Amino acid sequence: MGTDLEPRTFRVTRDDLVAYAAASGDHNPIHQDDEVARSVGLPGVIAHGMFTMALAARYVEEWVGRRGQVLTIGAKFTKPVPVPPEGAEVEVSGVYEHQGDDKVVSLTVTCNGEQVLGRLKATLRA
Amino acid sequence: MPIDKSLVGRSFPPTRPYAVSEENVRAFVTATGGEYDGGPAPATYPIVVAFDAMNDFLEAEQVDLFRIVHGEQGFSYLRAVEPGDVLTATLTVASLRQIGGADIIGTTSVITDEGGAEVCTGTATIVHRGEA
């Protein structure tokens, strides 16, 4: 049995996505422009998958208390995170446990009650 | 237009060296609502370099960025990224599948420092939706 981490809710706005695009270099217009997003079958502007994963990494690193302790992190982007003009909320929770010699945080990220990242896991420096 | 199958196993030229600065790391951290007062970069920060590698790849293959959706991403670290690092990513196409008119492209980007030592590896699956 692992230890449950306190769940947290993160608010995401379109301004955050603009700032993230500038900081990450990912200027894919599906994260800025409703029309382009719809043209490829999305419901409208969605968050960068890596934005959502960055929130999960932040959740882990703030729980650990410092950065630089993550050995691996990864996920499948299973569902888009739509970010309407009024913004969206993303909930992150996690379970910490030892798996053999590894210190593992298994994470769950949801938006509107739906899981948006699959197999999201971080392993930490021993 | 489907992506050329012969790409599997091909490595692309290393990306332009990217200098990690406190300023760049702070911009990344604050964009996701966090606070930064120096020290190692956050765990998903190397996407900055991995994304450069992906952009170069897409450009070489004449794929439009807006037709791309990120399917999976992982990072595996040998050491944390720190301000002062000068990083380069070398992307290799690891796999390619076609499902229902979409190309599912698996890539591996090895990220090295100025001395050529590996810092981390990014693995990504990107989905390319062809024209309808």
Side-chain angles (χ1 to χ4, degrees):
Chain A
M1 284 305 287
T3 309
D4 287 327
L5 278 57
E6 185 77 27
R8 291 179 67 182
T9 301
F10 298 96
R11 189 148 180 81
V12 183
T13 66
R14 288 192 171 180
D15 284 348
D16 294 333
L17 302 185
V18 171
Y20 184 80
S24 70
D26 183 346
H27 294 285
N28 191 329
I30 63 170
H31 308 302
Q32 317 290 344
D33 185 326
D34 279 321
E35 249 177 70
V36 178
R38 289 191 191 114
S39 80
V40 290
L42 294 165
V45 164
I46 62 165
H48 307 73
M50 286 310 296
F51 178 92
T52 310
M53 202 197 283
L55 289 180
R58 182 185 150 202
Y59 175 84
V60 170
E61 290 177 324
E62 290 182 356
W63 176 72
V64 170
R66 60 202 168 109
R67 298 190 181 95
Q69 301 303 304
V70 172
L71 288 178
T72 69
I73 186 165
K76 233 175 128 91
F77 303 107
T78 47
K79 285 248 162 60
V81 173
V83 181
E86 65 273 20
E89 281 187 348
V90 171
E91 293 200 6
V92 186
S93 60
V95 177
Y96 171 75
E97 62 191 339
H98 287 262
Q99 291 180 1
D101 290 338
D102 292 336
K103 296 161 85 176
V104 179
V105 185
S106 302
L107 296 137
T108 305
V109 181
T110 60
C111 177
N112 301 321
E114 280 193 309
Q115 206 161 312
V116 292
L117 297 181
R119 298 202 300 255
L120 172 59
K121 202 170 101 164
T123 58
L124 306 176
R125 209 169 282 287
Chain B
M1 194 176 68
I3 289 179
D4 179 5
K5 264 257 159 14
S6 72
L7 274 181
V8 177
R10 195 185 305 170
S11 289
F12 286 75
T15 53
R16 204 158 36 92
Y18 175 87
V20 180
S21 67
E22 288 206 350
E23 195 189 342
N24 293 343
V25 175
R26 183 170 294 113
F28 189 94
V29 171
T30 55
T32 50
E35 282 174 21
Y36 182 71
D37 51 13
T44 64
Y45 184 77
I47 194 64
V48 173
V49 196
F51 195 77
D52 264 352
M54 195 186 76
N55 266 336
D56 290 353
F57 161 68
L58 296 178
E59 202 177 292
E61 294 309 307
Q62 297 181 309
V63 172
D64 294 323
L65 182 59
F66 76 96
R67 295 193 180 281
I68 289 293
V69 172
H70 210 159
E72 286 179 53
Q73 180 71 46
F75 292 106
S76 176
Y77 283 90
L78 292 179
R79 69 164 175 86
V81 171
E82 300 269 357
D85 280 333
V86 177
L87 302 177
T88 297
T90 303
L91 181 145
T92 303
V93 177
S95 63
L96 185 57
R97 294 181 289 146
Q98 265 116 24
I99 295 177
D103 300 295
I104 319 285
I105 309 159
T107 67
T108 300
S109 294
V110 177
I111 298 170
T112 51
D113 64 19
E114 216 169 4
E118 186 181 331
V119 175
C120 71
T121 295
T123 50
T125 306
I126 54 180
V127 181
H128 168 240
R129 299 162 191 236
E131 280 167 69

